[in-house]
Amino acid sequence: MAEVAPMDLVVLADDEGNGVGVTVLGRHPRWSGGLAAEIAVATPFVSGRIDLVLSASKLEEWGLALDRLDAGQDIEWMEMDNGPSVFIQLTGERGCPEVVVEDESGSMVTVRVPIDLPEGWIADHRERLRNLLDSWSPIPSV
């Protein structure tokens, strides 16, 4: 079975030290159709990580979310799923986009991070997703 190299699928960060990322760690050790991943939040004030399992459907949803963001719409990714959710609000309370990570089903913690996103960030994330999908099949080869 081909291994999946660790990679940053989502990198939302600014020059102020605020960031939210989703890192793919490799194939999930107990579910052959999934990827082990983590969401990391890093700011000068608060930081944390939470484990995540990515499936083909969650990756497809991320691609659709990028399309909605490109059309100027806010998104909810993995909302109401068994695990953390990510929300991106293009016009946040502080005059820049905000990324909200919510772990309602586990720790019951919500973190809101204002991030001044750079030009071209959506295209960059489409390329990241394409690279992952080109290197991973949810059905392991025999």
Side-chain angles (χ1 to χ4, degrees):
M1 160 181 346
E3 288 302 313
V4 176
M7 68 164 292
D8 293 324
L9 176 64
V10 177
V11 179
L12 304 170
D14 63 22
D15 294 337
E16 302 296 320
N18 292 330
V20 175
V22 175
T23 301
V24 174
L25 304 172
R27 287 192 180 274
H28 195 276
R30 293 181 303 281
W31 182 42
S32 62
L35 295 169
E38 69 178 8
I39 298 174
V41 174
T43 76
F45 177 67
V46 64
S47 63
R49 298 181 180 287
I50 186 163
D51 291 334
L52 174 67
V53 178
L54 293 174
S55 62
S57 64
K58 285 182 183 177
L59 295 174
E60 181 180 335
E61 289 170 11
W62 176 237
L64 295 172
L66 290 170
D67 291 343
R68 289 193 309 277
L69 287 162
D70 200 26
Q73 301 172 15
D74 296 343
I75 63 100
E76 303 144 353
W77 181 38
M78 301 181 288
E79 183 187 23
M80 303 302 287
D81 201 352
N82 187 16
S85 301
V86 175
F87 303 83
I88 300 176
Q89 300 167 343
L90 294 173
T91 306
E93 295 173 6
R94 292 164 181 84
C96 67
E98 290 182 342
V99 180
V100 179
V101 178
E102 185 173 280
D103 182 34
E104 185 176 300
S105 65
S107 66
M108 296 184 288
V109 171
T110 299
V111 179
R112 177 180 304 274
V113 182
I115 302 175
D116 187 18
L117 296 169
E119 288 290 320
W121 70 274
I122 294 173
D124 174 57
H125 282 82
R126 283 189 173 129
E127 182 67 21
R128 291 171 184 276
L129 178 59
R130 192 171 20 260
N131 289 339
L132 176 61
L133 294 175
D134 286 348
S135 68
W136 175 69
S137 171
I139 302 169
S141 58
V142 181

